Amino acid sequence: MSFFNLSRRGLLKGSAALGAGLATPTIFTSSAWAQGYLNEPTGDTVTFGFNVPQTGAYADEGADELRAYELAVEHLNGGGDGGLLQTFSSKALTGAGVNGKKVAYVTGDTQTKSDAARASAKRMIESDGALMITGGSSSGVAIAVQGLCQEAGVIFMAGLTHSNDTTGKDKRRNGFRHFFNTEMSGAALGPILEANYGTDRKAYHLTADYTWGWSQEGSMKTYTEAIGWETVAAVRTPLGAGDFSQYLTPVLNSGADTLILNHYGRDMVNSLTQAVQFGMRDKVVNGKDFVIVVPLYSRLMAQGAGEAVKGIFGSTNWHWSLQDAGSQAFVKSFGQKYGFPPSQAAHTCYVQAMLYADAAQRAGTFHPCAIVEALEGYEFDGMGNGPTLYRAEDHQCFKPVLVVKGNENPTSQYDLLEVVDVTPTEKVMYPVDHPDFQGGDLGTCNAGI
Amino acid sequence: MNAKASSRNDLYLILGFIVAVALGPIIMTPFGGYPDLLQKFAIFGIFAIGFNILFGLTGYLSFGHAAFLGAGSYAAVWCFKLVGMNVLPAIISAMIVGGLFSALIGFVSLRRSGIYFSILTLAFAQMCYNLAYSVLGQPGMNLTNGETGLQLKLDDPRYFGESASESGTIPPTSMFGIEMKQIHEFDLFGMTVQVSNGYFVCALFVILAFYVSMRIFRSPFGMMLRAVKTNQNRMSYTGLNTRPYALAAFVISGMYAGLAGGLMSAMDPLAGAERMQWTASGEVVLMTILGGAGTLIGPIIGAGVIKYLENIFSSFNDQVMTGFFDFLPDWLGSAMVWITSPFVGEGWHLTLGVIFMLIVIFLPGGLMEGFARIGRLFRGSRKRGEGAADAPRVPAE
């Protein structure tokens, strides 16, 4: 075998290539270092990067997120009816762009894969000069892209991400989350479940086998056991299983009288529909009606599951039927543009884009560290969730949580969830050193230079 | 074909390759190239070169090569977590882990050939994927961090480096102080060319990988591998045990995959389980066949085409397309946007599928066969009448 013999020519070639490679960086002037911060806008526009799933299991949510972002850009640039700018407690934004610059945007497809999401975020930062990345419909992706934005030195405004880790052990100084998390879901659902189903229940968990599922299962266990429920078993199901019958059959034989489905998206649609088809809800176990709980609900999922959601409890970040001025303004401008009400994913994404723009306007610059400072500890209202605080210690928004129930008598194809209770902020607020949020460190802000 | 002429051709080939790699950032800038994309070209080029050593030479179609890429990525990130932020130990450990995985999987899978071999490798890779996705990502024994992917943290020990930089952030990956992610800009012909330090490292490795692959193709060992492809039974009847050769090719290509995975982590320190998914294994098969299996340069071109489609075509939305057809009259412009829009943006897979179909039907030898045909067309018209009989054609390499 002769291929490891290094000839004189080969050596010369190799060293020439190596020399060229080592010398090249020093012969260029690197202008990136002269800037105050990465991608500082010099023209009359500022670019936002909208990174949403356009293909894969969460494509429906991604499409709705993108609609919301386009609406937000329109409102920021003075188009449309101004949407939430009218009701937002901060009056810094007037619809004349941000810091005197028009808002432009680029889009990317996360494919709900960490790698693809990072690649598309990188393209938007390196090639398109995006100053802020936002979006996503999965916690894994949100955490991965948040890490990238921290390293690159741009701001990340998380979209739909519900796992504790996003603002727990994987929190970053450059990343912010408006959406609620599994801890808040558990805290809000606990009292409602107690009031409706009593304190003597045996719960069986089916959990999507990934970060978010574990987080959701943990929180639900904590809060159901606190009201006296017993956890019979917690079974992990692979993501995107499609057929859940093999996981549902053992439930009835286990003696459990409550099924908690820690599933989201298509998984939840499939598992819930199959559970109902199995006739579980007609069973009587331990002298009680068998019940199902879905901790994280969304309207898009309820639409997918159809009849099966009727009377089933869950929690949600926002719902279009809320009657406050902010929610109504948002539903109105979204409905006028697209012809149907927005989902909670659309709402959180719209609000995140607005909050970033507002922070930049208040800070008078797009410097990431100035924006971090403007958002940390910021209190605002009029965005559809009532008074909200962006906690400085973990960059998590604290606001009331909605407990919803599948509507028994829907009046339209969008009227699928009914708001049962609005759990006030004090009830869902947890201390920064909560054990489920341990092990992370915000670090320092990075401006990318 | 005498040996001297052949080695001179090889010299031109490698010199041309070095020039192309060195000028890559400048060539790609007008086409929307940016540092991360160029790094991807080089990294997936390495992956495809390695795959081609197995598939192109021995004909064993592995459907599980992504497992080695993923294993290499995880190894490199663990190296960043435990050892330090220098990329060299990370890349070396990625190659070792890629090699170990491929030796293990290859030893079992190579007992069968043809479709059974493909299915075995696919099964092993899918097993690795599921292990990484959930079993090894559980809070108890967390090797892979599951769906989120393995990331660096501020409190990683990094025994031979610093846990956090002075400013309190995670230190960037570097090679003896040269930061991988640092981007240089310079103006040339009125356009701004961006190059990152990471690209130079990737470029160095892709040139090295190409050179080694060329030497393997030209060596007696390479000849033996081709013989395995041509007629394995006959080889066995002559009393030769072919399995060690096939296994060696499998391990070498596994190490290439590990190297690619290590470089990926070095450029962007995160390792996700989806790198091991069967779609990722299928992608490298596509790259190799698209470019031309069994040719030296083909797989790299195939990797470039696919990564370009994935990253650039997928970013075209209706806005961009409208701007593109601006010069046409309004009605024709919007008609063109309507026709082309299913093929760009999220529809880039459709474009890839059409291209792949056309190539498999009309150019079974991949893009390289297309180039060879065009080349022969020109040479043929020049040499016609001189009576130069076609020399026995060497496959387009």
Side-chain angles (χ1 to χ4, degrees):
Chain A
M1 284 185 232
S2 66
F3 54 93
F4 289 120
N5 293 347
L6 201 57
S7 63
R8 185 178 143 273
R9 175 173 281 156
L11 183 69
L12 280 176
K13 260 186 320 213
S15 17
L18 185 71
L22 288 177
T24 331
T26 52
I27 58 172
F28 300 135
T29 52
S30 52
S31 56
W33 288 83
Q35 288 179 342
Y37 53 93
L38 187 76
N39 290 341
E40 185 172 351
T42 48
D44 53 0
T45 58
V46 52
T47 307
F48 293 177
F50 301 145
N51 208 12
V52 302
Q54 296 175 320
T55 51
Y58 297 141
D60 292 347
E61 261 114 0
D64 222 35
E65 291 182 358
L66 205 53
R67 286 184 205 112
Y69 284 132
E70 282 168 7
L71 193 67
V73 170
E74 193 180 311
H75 292 165
L76 286 172
N77 288 335
D81 59 6
L84 285 178
L85 286 183
Q86 309 154 1
T87 59
F88 191 17
S89 58
S90 165
K91 297 295 170 203
L93 293 166
T94 55
V98 185
N99 289 337
K101 294 178 196 297
K102 286 273 173 213
V103 178
Y105 68 90
V106 287
T107 58
D109 183 6
T110 67
Q111 303 173 30
T112 315
K113 291 178 183 168
S114 309
D115 252 359
R118 274 169 87 108
S120 99
K122 266 196 159 173
R123 172 180 58 77
M124 296 195 270
I125 297 168
E126 291 182 358
S127 170
D128 305 319
L131 264 169
M132 181 271 288
I133 303 293
T134 177
S137 191
S138 137
S139 290
V141 166
I143 289 167
V145 177
Q146 179 164 279
L148 174 92
C149 290
Q150 176 72 45
E151 286 155 29
V154 298
I155 294 290
F156 176 66
M157 303 295 283
L160 195 153
T161 157
H162 190 239
S163 168
N164 286 342
D165 294 347
T166 314
T167 48
K169 73 178 175 54
D170 293 311
K171 57 179 177 259
R172 295 281 194 272
R173 183 67 69 180
N174 284 26
F176 291 87
R177 167 163 71 177
H178 172 263
F179 208 67
F180 69 143
N181 56 37
T182 62
E183 161 69 21
M184 294 178 176
S185 279
L189 273 172
I192 302 291
L193 293 179
E194 185 178 13
N196 284 278
Y197 299 141
T199 54
D200 180 30
R201 282 268 176 184
K202 292 191 165 70
Y204 192 104
H205 290 256
L206 286 185
T207 303
D209 197 359
Y210 73 105
T211 330
W212 169 76
W214 308 333
S215 178
Q216 183 67 74
E217 180 192 296
S219 299
M220 285 311 286
K221 270 187 189 166
T222 311
Y223 282 96
T224 51
E225 281 165 15
I227 59 170
W229 291 19
E230 182 193 334
T231 305
V232 179
V235 174
R236 306 273 161 95
T237 63
L239 191 65
D243 181 14
F244 288 90
S245 47
Q246 54 168 320
Y247 301 104
L248 290 167
T249 326
V251 176
L252 288 174
N253 303 327
S254 67
D257 47 33
T258 309
L259 174 63
I260 298 181
L261 290 174
N262 300 308
H263 287 154
Y264 188 69
R266 212 153 287 172
D267 273 0
M268 175 265 175
V269 171
N270 289 333
S271 62
L272 179 62
T273 314
Q274 285 169 15
V276 173
Q277 279 167 359
F278 275 29
M280 282 192 180
R281 300 185 68 192
D282 309 326
K283 293 269 184 336
V284 175
V285 186
N286 309 332
K288 290 184 278 288
D289 285 340
F290 192 92
V291 294
I292 302 175
V293 178
V294 178
L296 178 62
Y297 244 140
S298 86
R299 195 203 79 225
L300 294 172
M301 275 155 48
Q303 230 161 306
E307 292 280 302
V309 298
K310 283 184 180 175
I312 288 181
F313 283 103
S315 67
T316 184
N317 191 52
W318 178 83
H319 192 251
W320 65 273
S321 65
L322 288 174
Q323 290 304 313
D324 61 292
S327 299
Q328 283 191 321
F330 183 54
V331 173
K332 182 165 154 271
S333 31
F334 193 95
Q336 267 173 2
K337 186 158 182 186
Y338 302 111
F340 48 87
S343 64
Q344 61 170 351
H347 172 257
T348 197
C349 288
Y350 179 94
V351 172
Q352 283 282 70
M354 284 294 172
L355 285 173
Y356 173 83
D358 174 67
Q361 184 75 37
R362 283 186 291 118
T365 167
F366 293 101
H367 196 292
C369 297
I371 286 167
V372 167
E373 219 166 86
L375 279 173
E376 280 184 348
Y378 182 53
E379 287 179 51
F380 59 92
D381 197 356
M383 293 301 239
N385 292 108
T388 309
L389 163 73
Y390 241 129
R391 185 154 75 182
E393 288 82 7
D394 55 3
H395 293 187
Q396 168 72 46
C397 265
F398 288 91
K399 53 193 175 350
V401 171
L402 305 182
V403 176
V404 291
K405 191 170 87 167
N407 211 338
E408 302 278 4
N409 303 302
T411 52
S412 75
Q413 57 164 323
Y414 305 112
D415 183 30
L416 295 168
L417 300 177
E418 131 188 41
V419 178
V420 179
D421 185 44
V422 180
T423 312
T425 315
E426 315 82 82
K427 292 269 177 59
V428 295
M429 190 114 173
Y430 53 86
V432 182
D433 55 0
H434 187 285
D436 287 355
F437 293 80
Q438 285 305 298
D441 186 358
L442 280 175
T444 54
C445 102
N446 181 8
I449 48 152
Chain B
M1 169 95 44
N2 62 45
K4 209 170 183 179
S6 144
S7 81
R8 200 173 56 227
N9 282 344
D10 282 356
L11 179 67
Y12 290 150
L13 190 63
I14 187 104
L15 284 180
F17 186 72
I18 291 172
V19 171
V21 171
L23 295 181
I26 299 171
I27 300 168
M28 282 310 295
T29 301
F31 302 103
Y34 54 95
D36 186 52
L37 181 64
L38 285 155
Q39 289 166 10
K40 286 233 156 61
F41 282 175
I43 290 169
F44 281 91
I46 293 173
F47 190 23
I49 293 173
F51 183 76
N52 190 40
I53 291 176
L54 179 73
F55 178 54
L57 287 182
T58 66
Y60 275 98
L61 175 58
S62 161
F63 255 112
H65 249 54
F68 313 135
L69 181 99
S73 306
Y74 282 119
V77 175
W78 271 112
C79 196
F80 291 133
K81 283 170 100 70
L82 298 178
V83 178
M85 296 307 288
N86 196 322
V87 296
L88 277 186
I91 289 170
I92 291 166
S93 61
M95 285 180 76
I96 293 171
V97 169
L100 283 177
F101 264 71
S102 56
L104 215 69
I105 292 175
F107 184 75
V108 180
S109 304
L110 282 166
R111 291 173 179 269
R112 293 284 172 270
S113 62
I115 186 80
Y116 305 104
F117 170 80
S118 301
I119 294 295
L120 273 175
T121 49
L122 177 66
F124 275 116
Q126 203 57 17
M127 214 161 85
C128 290
Y129 166 72
N130 279 325
L131 281 174
Y133 197 89
S134 50
V135 180
L136 296 177
Q138 304 282 359
M141 189 177 74
N142 199 344
L143 276 179
T144 60
N145 206 19
E147 182 230 16
T148 309
L150 193 61
Q151 292 198 59
L152 301 181
K153 287 195 183 306
L154 273 174
D155 53 0
D156 290 330
R158 284 187 264 284
Y159 293 111
F160 298 92
E162 41 177 19
S163 283
S165 67
E166 283 158 21
S167 56
T169 52
I170 297 168
T173 55
S174 63
M175 191 190 232
F176 306 114
I178 303 172
E179 282 181 22
M180 292 297 109
K181 65 169 188 176
Q182 192 191 339
I183 293 173
H184 305 279
E185 290 179 356
F186 59 97
D187 292 319
L188 198 77
F189 310 126
M191 56 193 186
T192 309
V193 180
Q194 290 185 317
V195 201
S196 61
N197 287 341
Y199 179 69
F200 294 114
V201 175
C202 291
L204 208 66
F205 276 105
V206 77
I207 290 168
L208 217 65
F210 182 72
Y211 180 72
V212 171
S213 146
M214 194 164 85
R215 297 306 295 257
I216 291 176
F217 268 63
R218 302 284 181 259
S219 68
F221 172 67
M223 187 58 78
M224 200 62 99
L225 295 180
R226 279 201 189 92
V228 170
K229 181 183 188 175
T230 316
N231 196 334
Q232 198 171 356
N233 284 339
R234 200 159 169 182
M235 294 269 287
S236 309
Y237 290 150
T238 56
L240 211 121
N241 187 2
T242 56
R243 203 177 291 149
Y245 288 96
L247 186 60
F250 195 84
V251 172
I252 290 170
S253 87
M255 286 173 80
Y256 266 81
L259 167 66
L263 277 173
M264 266 167 112
S265 297
M267 298 307 129
D268 180 10
L270 170 128
E274 66 263 15
R275 273 181 204 171
M276 293 192 172
Q277 219 174 354
W278 64 272
T279 47
S281 297
E283 200 182 53
V284 72
V285 180
L286 281 188
M287 286 171 180
T288 309
I289 294 175
L290 193 69
T295 65
L296 270 172
I297 269 283
I300 305 172
I301 295 176
V305 169
I306 288 185
K307 284 293 141 189
Y308 187 80
L309 283 176
E310 181 181 331
N311 287 284
I312 301 291
F313 262 56
S314 69
S315 72
F316 290 173
N317 44 32
D318 279 358
Q319 239 182 332
V320 178
M321 294 316 287
T322 315
F324 188 68
F325 291 115
D326 231 9
F327 64 95
L328 292 171
D330 241 9
W331 62 273
L332 191 60
S334 45
M336 288 304 286
V337 171
W338 185 77
I339 293 169
T340 49
S341 56
F343 292 93
V344 296
E346 62 220 56
W348 70 272
H349 282 111
L350 197 60
T351 317
L352 179 63
V354 170
I355 293 178
F356 189 72
M357 253 164 53
L358 290 178
I359 284 186
V360 170
I361 294 169
F362 296 108
L363 296 171
L367 286 171
M368 286 312 286
E369 188 184 329
F371 295 142
R373 279 193 197 175
I374 294 168
R376 268 208 308 286
L377 208 68
F378 280 109
R379 233 172 301 145
S381 60
R382 198 151 34 99
K383 284 187 180 166
R384 195 170 299 139
E386 293 174 17
D390 265 357
R393 202 162 59 78
V394 191
E397 285 171 0

